[in-house]
């Protein structure tokens, strides 16, 4: 096998390890939480703000806004959550997903082998009733071990002259945005794309100014998961998924207009470039949530009519 093919398979293998590790970690958390997680969602989403906080917290816990938004659509479909509470959870999920970018930017990935080792030993040798929790720790470490491997594989590429030409293709904000959205739709995880964007900045593959547009595109692309999940549900669930898409489009419009002065200021600070991207990602999602949440009580009567039903589940303002 040629060195080029070896390198390609090494990068793909590391990315696959990341994707499957993230999916397995999310599945383990959902399985361990089970009905308790669903019960907590029902009890804690009595207002728009609380629903958003629940969405942010649970997304930060499972490291997947796609999983939480899909769950919210499903819970609204079976009447466990009201449409309004589900929408609040979706708003918060975008904020919670920014944790991945911070973990990568702060180079927490170096702890991957520690969590893999501790989680693996725990799941094999710990007290039997507690062994399933060791798997969660193992998969959590696997996610960041994979990111570490991706970083090591990409490091030599930064010195390749061809990279400058590739960077030029993404210099256009529109192209970077579309690329981030399409990549997210393909891998079905904005956490993956935002993490890779920050990691690429750390390795010098792309500039922070390009990376912020990639993560903005990732926010838009993550809508595809809820849309996909809703195809097997009723018309109201599909419209709720479309509402989430509209919210994400609004966020991108906000990012491209009103937030640009703030973004340029952050990119001009003395912070590490990777931390600049993580901060922009957080500010972007936080600002969108803070603008949307106060508007929900005024817009919801019209949105509710569009969704096609009266609120059948208790729902606070």
């Amino acid at each position: 096998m040629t060195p080029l093919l070896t390198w390609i398979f090494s990068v793909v293998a590391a990315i696959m390890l990341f994707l499957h590790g993230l999916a397995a970690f999310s599945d383990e958390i959902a399985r361990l939480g089970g009905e308790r997680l669903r019960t907590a969602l029902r009890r804690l989403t009595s207002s728009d703000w609380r629903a958003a906080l629940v969405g942010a917290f649970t997304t930060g816990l499972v490291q997947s806004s796609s999983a939480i938004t899909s769950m919210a659509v499903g819970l609204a479909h079976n009447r466990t959550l009201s449409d309004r509470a589900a929408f609040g959870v979706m708003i918060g999920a975008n904020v919670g997903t920014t944790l991945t970018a911070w973990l990568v930017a702060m180079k927490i990935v170096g702890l991957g082998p520690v969590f893999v080792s501790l989680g693996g030993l725990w799941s094999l040798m710990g007290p039997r009733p507690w062994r399933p929790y060791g798997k969660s720790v193992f998969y959590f470490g696997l996610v960041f071990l994979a990111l570490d491997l991706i970083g090591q594989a990409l490091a030599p590429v930064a010195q390749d002259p061809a990279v400058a030409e590739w960077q030029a293709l993404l210099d256009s904000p529109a192209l970077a945005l579309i690329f981030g959205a399409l990549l997210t739709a393909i891998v079905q995880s904005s956490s993956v794309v935002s993490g890779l964007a920050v990691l690429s900045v750390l390795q010098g593959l792309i500039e922070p100014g390009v990376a912020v547009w990639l993560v903005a595109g990732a926010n838009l692309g993550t809508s595809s998961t809820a849309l996909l999940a809703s195809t097997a549900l009723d018309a109201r669930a599909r419209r709720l998924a479309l509402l989430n898409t509209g919210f994400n489009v609004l966020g991108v419009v906000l990012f491209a207009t009103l937030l640009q002065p703030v973004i340029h200021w952050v990119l001009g600070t003395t912070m590490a470039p990777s931390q600049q991207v993580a901060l922009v990602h957080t500010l972007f999602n936080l600002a969108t949530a803070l603008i949307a949440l106060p508007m929900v009580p005024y817009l919801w009567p019209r949105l509710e009519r569009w969704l096609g039903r009266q609120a059948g589940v208790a729902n606070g303002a």
Side-chain angles (χ1 to χ4, degrees):
M1 189 177 292
T2 65
L4 177 60
L5 277 177
T6 301
W7 176 81
I8 290 173
F9 277 111
S10 297
V11 173
V12 172
I15 292 175
M16 290 302 103
L17 197 63
F18 182 38
L19 288 171
H20 287 284
L22 190 63
F25 174 69
S26 179
D27 289 343
E28 281 296 316
I29 292 295
R31 185 176 64 82
L32 291 172
E35 188 55 36
R36 284 176 296 176
L37 183 59
R38 293 172 183 266
T39 301
L41 283 172
R42 284 195 297 266
R43 284 178 26 228
L44 297 174
T45 55
S46 58
S47 74
D48 299 325
W49 292 90
R50 290 179 68 177
L53 287 173
V54 168
F57 176 78
T58 53
T59 301
L61 182 66
V62 305
Q63 287 291 288
S64 175
S65 61
S66 300
I68 296 302
T69 53
S70 298
M71 182 185 292
V73 169
L75 292 176
H77 169 72
N78 63 26
R79 309 300 191 270
T80 300
L81 286 181
S82 66
D83 290 336
R84 184 165 169 179
F87 183 53
V89 169
M90 291 174 175
I91 291 174
N94 281 355
V95 178
T97 197
T98 62
L99 178 62
T100 304
W102 278 110
L103 290 173
V104 178
M106 301 302 290
K107 300 183 180 178
I108 305 297
V109 289
L111 294 177
V114 177
F115 284 109
V116 167
S117 301
L118 292 178
L121 290 172
W122 185 357
S123 63
L124 292 174
M125 303 170 61
R128 192 166 295 276
W130 295 92
R131 287 185 184 180
Y133 295 93
K135 286 186 178 181
S136 300
V137 177
F138 173 83
Y139 287 125
F140 180 78
L142 189 62
V143 168
F144 294 102
L145 177 62
L147 280 172
D148 212 9
L149 293 174
I150 294 170
Q152 293 174 23
L154 292 179
V157 182
Q159 312 303 322
D160 194 324
V163 171
E165 298 178 15
W166 179 73
Q167 285 177 327
L169 294 176
L170 291 178
D171 274 347
S172 164
L175 287 177
L177 181 76
I178 293 170
F179 180 73
L182 289 176
L183 186 58
T184 302
I186 291 170
V187 302
Q188 290 291 291
S189 175
S190 61
S191 296
V192 170
V193 177
S194 60
L196 289 176
V198 174
L199 195 60
S200 297
V201 171
L202 275 170
Q203 298 298 337
L205 291 175
I206 60 176
E207 295 296 322
V210 172
V212 295
W213 284 97
L214 286 174
V215 296
N219 265 49
L220 187 59
T222 196
S223 304
S224 64
T225 306
L227 289 170
L228 187 63
S230 71
T231 56
L233 305 177
D234 60 19
R236 290 185 293 264
R238 291 195 292 273
R239 288 180 180 177
L240 185 60
L242 284 172
L243 181 59
N244 178 57
T245 302
F247 168 73
N248 286 332
V249 170
L250 174 66
V252 170
V253 171
L254 183 66
F255 177 89
T257 55
L258 297 180
L259 287 179
Q260 279 301 303
V262 178
I263 292 168
H264 285 302
W265 175 78
V266 172
L267 295 178
T269 63
T270 56
M271 294 176 65
S274 58
Q275 293 177 23
Q276 290 176 353
V277 177
L279 181 57
V280 167
H281 192 201
T282 301
L283 291 175
F284 157 45
N285 285 289
L286 195 57
T288 307
L290 291 176
I291 289 173
L293 285 170
M295 296 170 61
V296 170
Y298 301 100
L299 296 177
W300 193 254
R302 293 181 181 178
L303 291 173
E304 196 171 49
R305 286 195 295 272
W306 177 72
L307 288 169
R309 75 162 181 227
Q310 296 299 317
V313 184
N315 183 28

